């Protein structure tokens, strides 16, 4: 019999520094009105001096471990989803492992762009189901401000920094059971969201810096079209796999990329009132891999999720990648 995996604690961390739409109006040719109507974003957070992906991830991890009621030494494995690691190597997982004192844990970084949290959750789920580990720490952390071109109005208005974490466990504690996870990818469209420079294909050089190859480049419009379609099908496959109907979903926690994408998703779940579609987009913008995890942590900490309720998480991003996860609340964590 496969063991059941449960999220027994969540955490998140947002840097204090706020970058508002009016700040951006002073940096690029844009307006608060354009940003709000086209994206739904009002402000986003930006890492301060001395804040990195690892420090934000470590803080989110500590909060998740505390809520889970376990010790850092009880963590067996650390998965860090990020496209902005502190270094290419060593891994950010190793930096966090040391920072939080998880001295018995192995750790590795993984990258699935904005779908990173769900990809990591899926792996953690598999480790627990297979009985390989007891406690897997999932972290999604991004310092997108380090790869954002603040002269490119089509991208710089979107992104923010932040981190999320959860402890996925076989322990018999209250939490959210992982009922089903579905992931997808399509590398045919790999060029739609990309940081072209800094890898083996285009190593850092004077030319790569001059050509701004180390920043995020995105064909926003093209990505938009794929996003709704892919998240919709991932959600459907995810719930169909376990025989759950759309009517049984109590909460939708979507990737926070654009309010118009979320609204299009909401039309698919028309029995869900808008306050059951959890949004953080207006205050944090798009935090890539962290986005779904931050939203989930905030939702759970607001203590409005009842026992037995089903939560559907969904995300979409570069790769292209996409996914959905169905969770069932089995008591309040912590
Ligand atoms: O997290 C990973 C997944 N990412 C996403 O899901 C992002 C998906 N894409 C989007 O959210 C939207 O495509 C954007 C918000 C990025 C852009 O919105 P859009 O409605 O697709 O706008 P557009 O790119 O088609 O641009 C429309 C116009 C253009 O002007 P012209 O060519 O029509 O004269 C742009 O130059 O808006 C202009 N524009 C801006 N104007 C004022 C683009 N950015 C800005 C800006 N302020 N910041």
């Amino acid at each position: 019999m496969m063991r059941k995996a449960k999220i027994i604690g969540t955490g998140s961390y947002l840097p204090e520094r706020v970058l508002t739409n009016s700040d951006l109006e002073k940096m690029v040719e844009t307006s608060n009105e354009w940003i709000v109507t086209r994206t739904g974003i009002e402000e986003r957070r930006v890492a301060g001096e001395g804040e990195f992906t690892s420090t934000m991830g470590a803080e989110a991890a500590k909060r998740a471990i505390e809520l889970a009621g376990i010790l850092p030494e009880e963590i067996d494995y650390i998965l860090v989803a990020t496209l902005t690691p502190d270094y290419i190597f060593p891994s950010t997982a190793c930096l966090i492992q040391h920072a939080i004192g998880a001295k018995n844990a192995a750790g590795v970084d993984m990258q699935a762009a904005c779908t990173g949290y769900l990809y990591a959750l899926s792996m953690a789920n598999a480790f627990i189901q297979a009985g390989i580990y007891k406690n897997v720490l999932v972290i999604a952390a991004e310092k997108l401000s380090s790869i954002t071109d603040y002269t490119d109005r089509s991208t710089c208005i979107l992104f923010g920094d932040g981190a999320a974490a959860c402890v996925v466990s076989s322990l018999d504690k209250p939490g959210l059971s992982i009922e089903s996870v579905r992931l997808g990818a399509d590398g045919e469209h790999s060029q739609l969201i990309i940081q072209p420079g800094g890898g083996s294909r285009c190593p850092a050089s004077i030319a790569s810096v001059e050509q701004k190859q180390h920043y995020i480049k995105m064909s926003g419009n093209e990505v938009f079209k794929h996003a709704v379609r892919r998240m919709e099908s991932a959600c459907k496959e995810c719930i169909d796999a376990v025989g759950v109907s759309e009517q049984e979903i109590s909460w939708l926690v979507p990737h926070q990329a654009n309010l118009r994408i979320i609204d299009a998703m909401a039309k698919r779940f028309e029995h869900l009132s808008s306050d059951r579609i959890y949004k953080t987009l207006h205050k944090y913008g798009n935090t890539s891999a962290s986005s779904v995890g931050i939203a989930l942590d905030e939702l759970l900490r607001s203590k409005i999720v009842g026992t037995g309720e089903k939560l559907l998480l969904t995300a979409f991003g570069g790769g292209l990648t996409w996914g959905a996860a169905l969770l069932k609340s089995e008591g309040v964590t912590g």
Side-chain angles (χ1 to χ4, degrees), residues 29-31 34-35 38-39 114 153-154 157-159 193 218 220-221 223-224 227 255 257-258 260-261 286 288 316-318:
E29 185 69 43
T30 191
S31 67
W34 192 95
I35 302 172
R38 295 293 183 112
T39 72
C114 303
R153 69 175 182 175
S154 70
I157 54 144
L158 300 170
F159 301 113
I193 321 180
M218 180 167 77
N221 229 304
V223 173
F224 194 111
H255 174 46
N258 189 313
R260 290 183 292 142
I261 295 176
N286 181 348
S288 189
F316 176 86

PDB file of all heavy atoms in Angstrom, residues 29-31 34-35 38-39 114 153-154 157-159 193 218 220-221 223-224 227 255 257-258 260-261 286 288 316-318, ligand 1:
ATOM      1  N   GLU A  29       8.058  54.169 -19.338  1.00  0.00           N
ATOM      2  CA  GLU A  29       6.880  54.809 -19.933  1.00  0.00           C
ATOM      3  C   GLU A  29       5.656  53.907 -19.690  1.00  0.00           C
ATOM      4  O   GLU A  29       5.354  53.015 -20.485  1.00  0.00           O
ATOM      5  CB  GLU A  29       7.156  54.941 -21.444  1.00  0.00           C
ATOM      6  CG  GLU A  29       6.122  55.685 -22.261  1.00  0.00           C
ATOM      7  CD  GLU A  29       6.097  57.160 -21.948  1.00  0.00           C
ATOM      8  OE1 GLU A  29       7.184  57.759 -21.831  1.00  0.00           O
ATOM      9  OE2 GLU A  29       4.973  57.693 -21.821  1.00  0.00           O
ATOM     10  N   THR A  30       5.003  54.094 -18.540  1.00  0.00           N
ATOM     11  CA  THR A  30       3.827  53.282 -18.207  1.00  0.00           C
ATOM     12  C   THR A  30       2.898  54.102 -17.319  1.00  0.00           C
ATOM     13  O   THR A  30       3.191  55.251 -16.999  1.00  0.00           O
ATOM     14  CB  THR A  30       4.241  51.963 -17.503  1.00  0.00           C
ATOM     15  OG1 THR A  30       3.104  51.103 -17.439  1.00  0.00           O
ATOM     16  CG2 THR A  30       4.789  52.188 -16.094  1.00  0.00           C
ATOM     17  N   SER A  31       1.767  53.512 -16.951  1.00  0.00           N
ATOM     18  CA  SER A  31       0.858  54.204 -16.039  1.00  0.00           C
ATOM     19  C   SER A  31       0.225  53.198 -15.086  1.00  0.00           C
ATOM     20  O   SER A  31       0.073  52.020 -15.425  1.00  0.00           O
ATOM     21  CB  SER A  31      -0.250  54.913 -16.830  1.00  0.00           C
ATOM     22  OG  SER A  31      -1.069  53.947 -17.447  1.00  0.00           O
ATOM     23  N   TRP A  34      -2.717  51.538 -16.760  1.00  0.00           N
ATOM     24  CA  TRP A  34      -2.398  50.448 -17.700  1.00  0.00           C
ATOM     25  C   TRP A  34      -2.068  49.167 -16.930  1.00  0.00           C
ATOM     26  O   TRP A  34      -2.594  48.100 -17.223  1.00  0.00           O
ATOM     27  CB  TRP A  34      -1.212  50.831 -18.611  1.00  0.00           C
ATOM     28  CG  TRP A  34      -1.037  49.881 -19.779  1.00  0.00           C
ATOM     29  CD1 TRP A  34      -1.519  50.040 -21.039  1.00  0.00           C
ATOM     30  CD2 TRP A  34      -0.362  48.601 -19.775  1.00  0.00           C
ATOM     31  NE1 TRP A  34      -1.188  48.961 -21.837  1.00  0.00           N
ATOM     32  CE2 TRP A  34      -0.472  48.055 -21.075  1.00  0.00           C
ATOM     33  CE3 TRP A  34       0.321  47.860 -18.812  1.00  0.00           C
ATOM     34  CZ2 TRP A  34       0.069  46.828 -21.450  1.00  0.00           C
ATOM     35  CZ3 TRP A  34       0.857  46.618 -19.181  1.00  0.00           C
ATOM     36  CH2 TRP A  34       0.727  46.119 -20.481  1.00  0.00           C
ATOM     37  N   ILE A  35      -1.210  49.305 -15.920  1.00  0.00           N
ATOM     38  CA  ILE A  35      -0.763  48.108 -15.190  1.00  0.00           C
ATOM     39  C   ILE A  35      -1.950  47.435 -14.490  1.00  0.00           C
ATOM     40  O   ILE A  35      -2.126  46.214 -14.566  1.00  0.00           O
ATOM     41  CB  ILE A  35       0.353  48.447 -14.170  1.00  0.00           C
ATOM     42  CG1 ILE A  35       1.552  49.091 -14.880  1.00  0.00           C
ATOM     43  CG2 ILE A  35       0.799  47.196 -13.421  1.00  0.00           C
ATOM     44  CD1 ILE A  35       2.628  49.639 -13.926  1.00  0.00           C
ATOM     45  N   ARG A  38      -4.467  45.940 -17.191  1.00  0.00           N
ATOM     46  CA  ARG A  38      -3.932  44.826 -17.986  1.00  0.00           C
ATOM     47  C   ARG A  38      -3.437  43.652 -17.155  1.00  0.00           C
ATOM     48  O   ARG A  38      -3.288  42.553 -17.666  1.00  0.00           O
ATOM     49  CB  ARG A  38      -2.768  45.297 -18.867  1.00  0.00           C
ATOM     50  CG  ARG A  38      -3.126  46.285 -19.937  1.00  0.00           C
ATOM     51  CD  ARG A  38      -4.015  45.633 -20.992  1.00  0.00           C
ATOM     52  NE  ARG A  38      -4.291  46.564 -22.050  1.00  0.00           N
ATOM     53  CZ  ARG A  38      -3.835  46.431 -23.293  1.00  0.00           C
ATOM     54  NH1 ARG A  38      -3.112  45.393 -23.626  1.00  0.00           N
ATOM     55  NH2 ARG A  38      -4.135  47.326 -24.189  1.00  0.00           N
ATOM     56  N   THR A  39      -3.102  43.907 -15.849  1.00  0.00           N
ATOM     57  CA  THR A  39      -2.517  42.814 -15.055  1.00  0.00           C
ATOM     58  C   THR A  39      -3.182  42.596 -13.696  1.00  0.00           C
ATOM     59  O   THR A  39      -3.103  41.501 -13.154  1.00  0.00           O
ATOM     60  CB  THR A  39      -1.010  43.073 -14.767  1.00  0.00           C
ATOM     61  OG1 THR A  39      -0.881  44.129 -13.805  1.00  0.00           O
ATOM     62  CG2 THR A  39      -0.250  43.440 -16.036  1.00  0.00           C
ATOM     63  N   CYS A 114       7.656  29.005 -13.352  1.00  0.00           N
ATOM     64  CA  CYS A 114       6.546  29.330 -12.448  1.00  0.00           C
ATOM     65  C   CYS A 114       5.813  28.095 -11.930  1.00  0.00           C
ATOM     66  O   CYS A 114       5.017  28.196 -11.000  1.00  0.00           O
ATOM     67  CB  CYS A 114       5.548  30.253 -13.138  1.00  0.00           C
ATOM     68  SG  CYS A 114       6.305  31.755 -13.727  1.00  0.00           S
ATOM     69  N   ARG A 153       9.447  47.902 -20.110  1.00  0.00           N
ATOM     70  CA  ARG A 153       8.127  48.079 -19.478  1.00  0.00           C
ATOM     71  C   ARG A 153       7.220  46.857 -19.633  1.00  0.00           C
ATOM     72  O   ARG A 153       6.254  46.696 -18.900  1.00  0.00           O
ATOM     73  CB  ARG A 153       7.437  49.311 -20.034  1.00  0.00           C
ATOM     74  CG  ARG A 153       6.996  49.172 -21.486  1.00  0.00           C
ATOM     75  CD  ARG A 153       6.226  50.393 -21.915  1.00  0.00           C
ATOM     76  NE  ARG A 153       5.766  50.231 -23.295  1.00  0.00           N
ATOM     77  CZ  ARG A 153       4.988  51.075 -23.917  1.00  0.00           C
ATOM     78  NH1 ARG A 153       4.576  52.159 -23.296  1.00  0.00           N
ATOM     79  NH2 ARG A 153       4.609  50.863 -25.147  1.00  0.00           N
ATOM     80  N   SER A 154       7.508  46.001 -20.624  1.00  0.00           N
ATOM     81  CA  SER A 154       6.623  44.853 -20.840  1.00  0.00           C
ATOM     82  C   SER A 154       6.859  43.743 -19.818  1.00  0.00           C
ATOM     83  O   SER A 154       6.027  42.856 -19.648  1.00  0.00           O
ATOM     84  CB  SER A 154       6.768  44.310 -22.260  1.00  0.00           C
ATOM     85  OG  SER A 154       8.022  43.698 -22.421  1.00  0.00           O
ATOM     86  N   ILE A 157       7.050  45.463 -14.905  1.00  0.00           N
ATOM     87  CA  ILE A 157       5.852  45.766 -14.106  1.00  0.00           C
ATOM     88  C   ILE A 157       5.264  44.503 -13.468  1.00  0.00           C
ATOM     89  O   ILE A 157       4.420  44.585 -12.583  1.00  0.00           O
ATOM     90  CB  ILE A 157       4.774  46.411 -15.006  1.00  0.00           C
ATOM     91  CG1 ILE A 157       4.512  45.496 -16.215  1.00  0.00           C
ATOM     92  CG2 ILE A 157       5.202  47.799 -15.456  1.00  0.00           C
ATOM     93  CD1 ILE A 157       3.108  45.468 -16.660  1.00  0.00           C
ATOM     94  N   LEU A 158       5.707  43.333 -13.957  1.00  0.00           N
ATOM     95  CA  LEU A 158       5.042  42.083 -13.571  1.00  0.00           C
ATOM     96  C   LEU A 158       5.636  41.414 -12.333  1.00  0.00           C
ATOM     97  O   LEU A 158       4.908  40.831 -11.536  1.00  0.00           O
ATOM     98  CB  LEU A 158       5.129  41.067 -14.724  1.00  0.00           C
ATOM     99  CG  LEU A 158       4.495  41.475 -16.045  1.00  0.00           C
ATOM    100  CD1 LEU A 158       4.881  40.491 -17.137  1.00  0.00           C
ATOM    101  CD2 LEU A 158       2.986  41.560 -15.915  1.00  0.00           C
ATOM    102  N   PHE A 159       6.968  41.459 -12.217  1.00  0.00           N
ATOM    103  CA  PHE A 159       7.633  40.520 -11.319  1.00  0.00           C
ATOM    104  C   PHE A 159       7.960  41.072  -9.947  1.00  0.00           C
ATOM    105  O   PHE A 159       8.239  42.261  -9.787  1.00  0.00           O
ATOM    106  CB  PHE A 159       8.900  39.984 -11.988  1.00  0.00           C
ATOM    107  CG  PHE A 159       8.606  39.289 -13.295  1.00  0.00           C
ATOM    108  CD1 PHE A 159       9.050  39.826 -14.490  1.00  0.00           C
ATOM    109  CD2 PHE A 159       7.862  38.120 -13.310  1.00  0.00           C
ATOM    110  CE1 PHE A 159       8.765  39.194 -15.704  1.00  0.00           C
ATOM    111  CE2 PHE A 159       7.561  37.484 -14.514  1.00  0.00           C
ATOM    112  CZ  PHE A 159       8.012  38.023 -15.723  1.00  0.00           C
ATOM    113  N   ILE A 193       9.424  32.339 -22.847  1.00  0.00           N
ATOM    114  CA  ILE A 193       9.894  33.024 -21.622  1.00  0.00           C
ATOM    115  C   ILE A 193      11.277  32.473 -21.366  1.00  0.00           C
ATOM    116  O   ILE A 193      11.426  31.257 -21.152  1.00  0.00           O
ATOM    117  CB  ILE A 193       9.058  32.730 -20.356  1.00  0.00           C
ATOM    118  CG1 ILE A 193       7.577  32.665 -20.640  1.00  0.00           C
ATOM    119  CG2 ILE A 193       9.350  33.756 -19.271  1.00  0.00           C
ATOM    120  CD1 ILE A 193       6.760  32.373 -19.389  1.00  0.00           C
ATOM    121  N   MET A 218      10.226  37.938 -22.466  1.00  0.00           N
ATOM    122  CA  MET A 218       8.953  37.217 -22.553  1.00  0.00           C
ATOM    123  C   MET A 218       8.092  37.737 -23.691  1.00  0.00           C
ATOM    124  O   MET A 218       7.947  38.937 -23.867  1.00  0.00           O
ATOM    125  CB  MET A 218       8.183  37.355 -21.235  1.00  0.00           C
ATOM    126  CG  MET A 218       6.849  36.618 -21.261  1.00  0.00           C
ATOM    127  SD  MET A 218       6.096  36.450 -19.657  1.00  0.00           S
ATOM    128  CE  MET A 218       5.465  38.087 -19.421  1.00  0.00           C
ATOM    129  N   GLY A 220       4.804  38.072 -23.989  1.00  0.00           N
ATOM    130  CA  GLY A 220       3.669  38.034 -23.073  1.00  0.00           C
ATOM    131  C   GLY A 220       2.360  37.569 -23.685  1.00  0.00           C
ATOM    132  O   GLY A 220       1.661  36.713 -23.122  1.00  0.00           O
ATOM    133  N   ASN A 221       2.088  38.116 -24.841  1.00  0.00           N
ATOM    134  CA  ASN A 221       0.834  37.792 -25.514  1.00  0.00           C
ATOM    135  C   ASN A 221       0.701  36.316 -25.870  1.00  0.00           C
ATOM    136  O   ASN A 221      -0.353  35.703 -25.671  1.00  0.00           O
ATOM    137  CB  ASN A 221       0.785  38.622 -26.804  1.00  0.00           C
ATOM    138  CG  ASN A 221      -0.520  39.321 -26.931  1.00  0.00           C
ATOM    139  OD1 ASN A 221      -1.531  38.648 -26.897  1.00  0.00           O
ATOM    140  ND2 ASN A 221      -0.501  40.641 -27.047  1.00  0.00           N
ATOM    141  N   VAL A 223       2.394  33.836 -24.481  1.00  0.00           N
ATOM    142  CA  VAL A 223       2.352  33.061 -23.238  1.00  0.00           C
ATOM    143  C   VAL A 223       0.931  33.056 -22.679  1.00  0.00           C
ATOM    144  O   VAL A 223       0.421  32.024 -22.238  1.00  0.00           O
ATOM    145  CB  VAL A 223       3.329  33.668 -22.193  1.00  0.00           C
ATOM    146  CG1 VAL A 223       3.174  32.990 -20.847  1.00  0.00           C
ATOM    147  CG2 VAL A 223       4.754  33.560 -22.684  1.00  0.00           C
ATOM    148  N   PHE A 224       0.307  34.212 -22.722  1.00  0.00           N
ATOM    149  CA  PHE A 224      -1.044  34.392 -22.215  1.00  0.00           C
ATOM    150  C   PHE A 224      -1.992  33.339 -22.790  1.00  0.00           C
ATOM    151  O   PHE A 224      -2.743  32.687 -22.069  1.00  0.00           O
ATOM    152  CB  PHE A 224      -1.519  35.806 -22.591  1.00  0.00           C
ATOM    153  CG  PHE A 224      -2.742  36.261 -21.870  1.00  0.00           C
ATOM    154  CD1 PHE A 224      -2.665  37.275 -20.920  1.00  0.00           C
ATOM    155  CD2 PHE A 224      -3.977  35.689 -22.125  1.00  0.00           C
ATOM    156  CE1 PHE A 224      -3.796  37.705 -20.246  1.00  0.00           C
ATOM    157  CE2 PHE A 224      -5.115  36.116 -21.454  1.00  0.00           C
ATOM    158  CZ  PHE A 224      -5.012  37.132 -20.518  1.00  0.00           C
ATOM    159  N   ALA A 227      -1.385  29.928 -21.377  1.00  0.00           N
ATOM    160  CA  ALA A 227      -1.566  29.823 -19.931  1.00  0.00           C
ATOM    161  C   ALA A 227      -2.957  29.304 -19.560  1.00  0.00           C
ATOM    162  O   ALA A 227      -3.094  28.327 -18.826  1.00  0.00           O
ATOM    163  CB  ALA A 227      -1.305  31.174 -19.271  1.00  0.00           C
ATOM    164  N   HIS A 255      -1.694  30.240 -10.099  1.00  0.00           N
ATOM    165  CA  HIS A 255      -0.472  31.030 -10.276  1.00  0.00           C
ATOM    166  C   HIS A 255      -0.870  32.489 -10.492  1.00  0.00           C
ATOM    167  O   HIS A 255      -1.816  32.791 -11.217  1.00  0.00           O
ATOM    168  CB  HIS A 255       0.306  30.502 -11.487  1.00  0.00           C
ATOM    169  CG  HIS A 255       1.503  31.340 -11.833  1.00  0.00           C
ATOM    170  ND1 HIS A 255       2.383  31.783 -10.885  1.00  0.00           N
ATOM    171  CD2 HIS A 255       1.950  31.807 -13.025  1.00  0.00           C
ATOM    172  CE1 HIS A 255       3.332  32.492 -11.476  1.00  0.00           C
ATOM    173  NE2 HIS A 255       3.093  32.528 -12.777  1.00  0.00           N
ATOM    174  N   ALA A 257      -0.101  35.388 -12.171  1.00  0.00           N
ATOM    175  CA  ALA A 257       0.631  36.035 -13.268  1.00  0.00           C
ATOM    176  C   ALA A 257      -0.111  37.255 -13.791  1.00  0.00           C
ATOM    177  O   ALA A 257       0.487  38.279 -14.085  1.00  0.00           O
ATOM    178  CB  ALA A 257       0.882  35.055 -14.400  1.00  0.00           C
ATOM    179  N   ASN A 258      -1.430  37.110 -13.922  1.00  0.00           N
ATOM    180  CA  ASN A 258      -2.227  38.183 -14.516  1.00  0.00           C
ATOM    181  C   ASN A 258      -3.686  37.970 -14.115  1.00  0.00           C
ATOM    182  O   ASN A 258      -4.207  36.858 -14.243  1.00  0.00           O
ATOM    183  CB  ASN A 258      -2.075  38.127 -16.050  1.00  0.00           C
ATOM    184  CG  ASN A 258      -2.700  39.342 -16.720  1.00  0.00           C
ATOM    185  OD1 ASN A 258      -3.824  39.735 -16.401  1.00  0.00           O
ATOM    186  ND2 ASN A 258      -1.967  39.933 -17.644  1.00  0.00           N
ATOM    187  N   ARG A 260      -6.304  38.851 -15.548  1.00  0.00           N
ATOM    188  CA  ARG A 260      -7.149  38.429 -16.667  1.00  0.00           C
ATOM    189  C   ARG A 260      -7.037  36.920 -16.902  1.00  0.00           C
ATOM    190  O   ARG A 260      -8.008  36.283 -17.299  1.00  0.00           O
ATOM    191  CB  ARG A 260      -6.771  39.213 -17.929  1.00  0.00           C
ATOM    192  CG  ARG A 260      -7.188  40.691 -17.826  1.00  0.00           C
ATOM    193  CD  ARG A 260      -6.879  41.430 -19.109  1.00  0.00           C
ATOM    194  NE  ARG A 260      -5.460  41.558 -19.329  1.00  0.00           N
ATOM    195  CZ  ARG A 260      -4.841  41.457 -20.515  1.00  0.00           C
ATOM    196  NH1 ARG A 260      -5.542  41.214 -21.606  1.00  0.00           N
ATOM    197  NH2 ARG A 260      -3.539  41.611 -20.619  1.00  0.00           N
ATOM    198  N   ILE A 261      -5.866  36.347 -16.630  1.00  0.00           N
ATOM    199  CA  ILE A 261      -5.711  34.886 -16.748  1.00  0.00           C
ATOM    200  C   ILE A 261      -6.526  34.212 -15.637  1.00  0.00           C
ATOM    201  O   ILE A 261      -7.242  33.236 -15.867  1.00  0.00           O
ATOM    202  CB  ILE A 261      -4.219  34.478 -16.661  1.00  0.00           C
ATOM    203  CG1 ILE A 261      -3.437  35.028 -17.866  1.00  0.00           C
ATOM    204  CG2 ILE A 261      -4.072  32.962 -16.574  1.00  0.00           C
ATOM    205  CD1 ILE A 261      -1.929  34.765 -17.829  1.00  0.00           C
ATOM    206  N   ASN A 286       3.890  38.861  -9.835  1.00  0.00           N
ATOM    207  CA  ASN A 286       4.231  37.489 -10.213  1.00  0.00           C
ATOM    208  C   ASN A 286       5.578  37.119  -9.581  1.00  0.00           C
ATOM    209  O   ASN A 286       6.611  37.678  -9.948  1.00  0.00           O
ATOM    210  CB  ASN A 286       4.299  37.413 -11.743  1.00  0.00           C
ATOM    211  CG  ASN A 286       4.627  36.019 -12.262  1.00  0.00           C
ATOM    212  OD1 ASN A 286       5.015  35.138 -11.489  1.00  0.00           O
ATOM    213  ND2 ASN A 286       4.471  35.827 -13.552  1.00  0.00           N
ATOM    214  N   SER A 288       6.843  34.063  -9.697  1.00  0.00           N
ATOM    215  CA  SER A 288       7.237  32.817 -10.369  1.00  0.00           C
ATOM    216  C   SER A 288       6.973  31.585  -9.487  1.00  0.00           C
ATOM    217  O   SER A 288       5.866  31.418  -8.999  1.00  0.00           O
ATOM    218  CB  SER A 288       8.693  32.901 -10.831  1.00  0.00           C
ATOM    219  OG  SER A 288       9.004  31.805 -11.645  1.00  0.00           O
ATOM    220  N   PHE A 316       1.499  27.746 -14.203  1.00  0.00           N
ATOM    221  CA  PHE A 316       1.908  27.734 -15.599  1.00  0.00           C
ATOM    222  C   PHE A 316       3.150  28.605 -15.748  1.00  0.00           C
ATOM    223  O   PHE A 316       3.262  29.629 -15.081  1.00  0.00           O
ATOM    224  CB  PHE A 316       0.774  28.338 -16.442  1.00  0.00           C
ATOM    225  CG  PHE A 316       1.154  28.463 -17.880  1.00  0.00           C
ATOM    226  CD1 PHE A 316       0.969  27.397 -18.737  1.00  0.00           C
ATOM    227  CD2 PHE A 316       1.735  29.622 -18.366  1.00  0.00           C
ATOM    228  CE1 PHE A 316       1.349  27.495 -20.064  1.00  0.00           C
ATOM    229  CE2 PHE A 316       2.113  29.731 -19.689  1.00  0.00           C
ATOM    230  CZ  PHE A 316       1.930  28.659 -20.539  1.00  0.00           C
ATOM    231  N   GLY A 317       4.065  28.211 -16.611  1.00  0.00           N
ATOM    232  CA  GLY A 317       5.231  29.080 -16.779  1.00  0.00           C
ATOM    233  C   GLY A 317       6.187  28.645 -17.866  1.00  0.00           C
ATOM    234  O   GLY A 317       5.852  27.822 -18.727  1.00  0.00           O
ATOM    235  N   GLY A 318       7.390  29.187 -17.791  1.00  0.00           N
ATOM    236  CA  GLY A 318       8.420  28.950 -18.804  1.00  0.00           C
ATOM    237  C   GLY A 318       8.735  27.468 -18.933  1.00  0.00           C
ATOM    238  O   GLY A 318       8.609  26.699 -17.998  1.00  0.00           O
TER     239      GLY A 318
HETATM  240  O1  LIG B   1       4.491  33.639 -15.000  1.00  0.00           O
HETATM  241  C1  LIG B   1       4.772  33.076 -16.242  1.00  0.00           C
HETATM  242  C2  LIG B   1       3.660  33.210 -17.123  1.00  0.00           C
HETATM  243  N1  LIG B   1       3.546  34.561 -17.572  1.00  0.00           N
HETATM  244  C3  LIG B   1       2.388  35.008 -17.941  1.00  0.00           C
HETATM  245  O2  LIG B   1       1.425  34.295 -17.823  1.00  0.00           O
HETATM  246  C4  LIG B   1       2.310  36.387 -18.557  1.00  0.00           C
HETATM  247  C5  LIG B   1       1.226  36.384 -19.550  1.00  0.00           C
HETATM  248  N2  LIG B   1       1.111  37.618 -20.275  1.00  0.00           N
HETATM  249  C6  LIG B   1       0.595  38.746 -19.775  1.00  0.00           C
HETATM  250  O3  LIG B   1       0.269  38.803 -18.614  1.00  0.00           O
HETATM  251  C7  LIG B   1       0.323  39.892 -20.712  1.00  0.00           C
HETATM  252  O4  LIG B   1       0.590  39.481 -22.029  1.00  0.00           O
HETATM  253  C8  LIG B   1       1.142  41.180 -20.401  1.00  0.00           C
HETATM  254  C9  LIG B   1       0.639  41.806 -19.129  1.00  0.00           C
HETATM  255  C10 LIG B   1       2.611  40.837 -20.266  1.00  0.00           C
HETATM  256  C11 LIG B   1       0.955  42.195 -21.522  1.00  0.00           C
HETATM  257  O5  LIG B   1      -0.410  42.469 -21.710  1.00  0.00           O
HETATM  258  P1  LIG B   1      -1.056  42.422 -23.162  1.00  0.00           P
HETATM  259  O6  LIG B   1      -2.458  42.788 -23.003  1.00  0.00           O
HETATM  260  O7  LIG B   1      -0.748  41.078 -23.746  1.00  0.00           O
HETATM  261  O8  LIG B   1      -0.302  43.587 -23.883  1.00  0.00           O
HETATM  262  P2  LIG B   1       0.576  43.535 -25.201  1.00  0.00           P
HETATM  263  O9  LIG B   1       1.894  42.880 -24.907  1.00  0.00           O
HETATM  264  O10 LIG B   1      -0.226  43.001 -26.321  1.00  0.00           O
HETATM  265  O11 LIG B   1       0.822  45.088 -25.433  1.00  0.00           O
HETATM  266  C12 LIG B   1      -0.242  45.970 -25.770  1.00  0.00           C
HETATM  267  C13 LIG B   1       0.320  47.374 -25.866  1.00  0.00           C
HETATM  268  C14 LIG B   1       1.564  47.464 -26.713  1.00  0.00           C
HETATM  269  O12 LIG B   1       1.510  48.660 -27.443  1.00  0.00           O
HETATM  270  P3  LIG B   1       1.092  48.657 -28.985  1.00  0.00           P
HETATM  271  O13 LIG B   1       2.102  47.789 -29.656  1.00  0.00           O
HETATM  272  O14 LIG B   1      -0.303  48.088 -29.013  1.00  0.00           O
HETATM  273  O15 LIG B   1       1.182  50.101 -29.343  1.00  0.00           O
HETATM  274  C15 LIG B   1       2.684  47.538 -25.712  1.00  0.00           C
HETATM  275  O16 LIG B   1       3.801  48.224 -26.202  1.00  0.00           O
HETATM  276  O17 LIG B   1       0.700  47.831 -24.563  1.00  0.00           O
HETATM  277  C16 LIG B   1       2.022  48.303 -24.587  1.00  0.00           C
HETATM  278  N3  LIG B   1       2.646  48.059 -23.292  1.00  0.00           N
HETATM  279  C17 LIG B   1       2.571  48.928 -22.284  1.00  0.00           C
HETATM  280  N4  LIG B   1       2.000  50.133 -22.168  1.00  0.00           N
HETATM  281  C18 LIG B   1       2.092  50.769 -20.984  1.00  0.00           C
HETATM  282  C19 LIG B   1       3.335  46.964 -22.890  1.00  0.00           C
HETATM  283  N5  LIG B   1       3.716  47.112 -21.610  1.00  0.00           N
HETATM  284  C20 LIG B   1       3.265  48.329 -21.214  1.00  0.00           C
HETATM  285  C21 LIG B   1       3.336  49.033 -19.990  1.00  0.00           C
HETATM  286  N6  LIG B   1       2.738  50.230 -19.934  1.00  0.00           N
HETATM  287  N7  LIG B   1       3.956  48.541 -18.907  1.00  0.00           N
END
